Amino acid sequence: MNTTEYKLSKKLINFLFLYYGALLIACIILSIRIFIALFDGINDNCILHLSFISSIISAIMMCSVNYIRKLYKNLIAGNVSIEEKDTAVLIGCFAYFFFRPFFAIALVIIVIVAILSGAFMVIGSLDYIINQKFLFLCYVIAGFVGYSTGITLDKFERISKENINKVKES
């Protein structure tokens, strides 16, 4: 059970719900437009660009879903203290929620480049994998990455610390 307590003002809570809600709605609309364009027929040269853009959209959309859920669940559970003074803790809690979609974008860029690099190393050319199936694969993987941004960041931090400690001990 999550016992973390967040401190936010009423204005910041309202802003975060509007922020994530707007991101979610915009990403849903953009996803629909991209998939309509795909089904209407699109030039294969655009698939890589659309894969990249749709992956970012998917990551932001699912990150928004997760953090809307996280925010309302913590409000219901009483894990959010309403603070009206500007404090470092309040600013930190706000930044925690505000920057998560940007972290999701950064992680998805790394994942898409890793997928492309792996395919290039195995196949030797990207010509065989850059198609609509690739776009759908990237979209789904990016959604999972976006939704699990917080968990992924925590794992990166833990693994990095463990590796640094191993190097120090050597």
Side-chain angles (χ1 to χ4, degrees), residues 7-144:
K7 295 184 182 199
L8 293 164
S9 69
K10 288 179 185 177
K11 286 181 183 178
L12 291 179
I13 292 168
N14 289 334
F15 173 80
L16 287 170
F17 277 122
L18 289 172
Y19 170 66
Y20 282 123
L23 286 175
L24 180 61
I25 291 167
C27 289
I28 290 169
I29 291 168
L30 290 171
S31 291
I32 291 168
R33 292 192 63 174
I34 286 172
F35 290 115
I36 288 172
L38 277 176
F39 295 124
D40 284 346
I42 197 155
N43 186 343
D44 283 344
N45 295 331
C46 295
I47 292 290
L48 187 58
H49 294 101
L50 279 178
S51 297
F52 187 71
I53 291 167
S54 67
S55 295
I56 290 172
I57 290 168
S58 177
I60 294 170
M61 180 172 62
M62 293 309 294
C63 182
S64 296
V65 166
N66 187 28
Y67 282 93
I68 288 170
R69 180 180 165 272
K70 184 175 190 126
L71 192 55
Y72 76 68
K73 283 183 79 173
N74 279 292
L75 284 165
I76 292 168
N79 295 332
V80 178
S81 296
I82 305 298
E83 300 280 331
E84 294 303 328
K85 295 184 273 182
D86 283 337
T87 64
V89 174
L90 183 128
I91 294 166
C93 287
F94 175 72
Y96 169 85
F97 282 100
F98 183 81
F99 288 108
R100 288 302 165 131
F102 297 101
F103 296 155
I105 292 169
L107 291 171
V108 162
I109 290 170
I110 292 168
V111 168
I112 298 306
V113 169
I115 291 170
L116 288 170
S117 298
F120 185 75
M121 291 175 81
V122 170
I123 300 170
S125 172
L126 296 178
D127 295 337
Y128 301 109
I129 66 160
I130 304 299
N131 54 41
Q132 286 185 354
K133 293 175 191 171
F134 178 74
L135 186 144
F136 294 135
L137 174 69
C138 289
Y139 188 84
V140 170
I141 290 172
F144 284 113

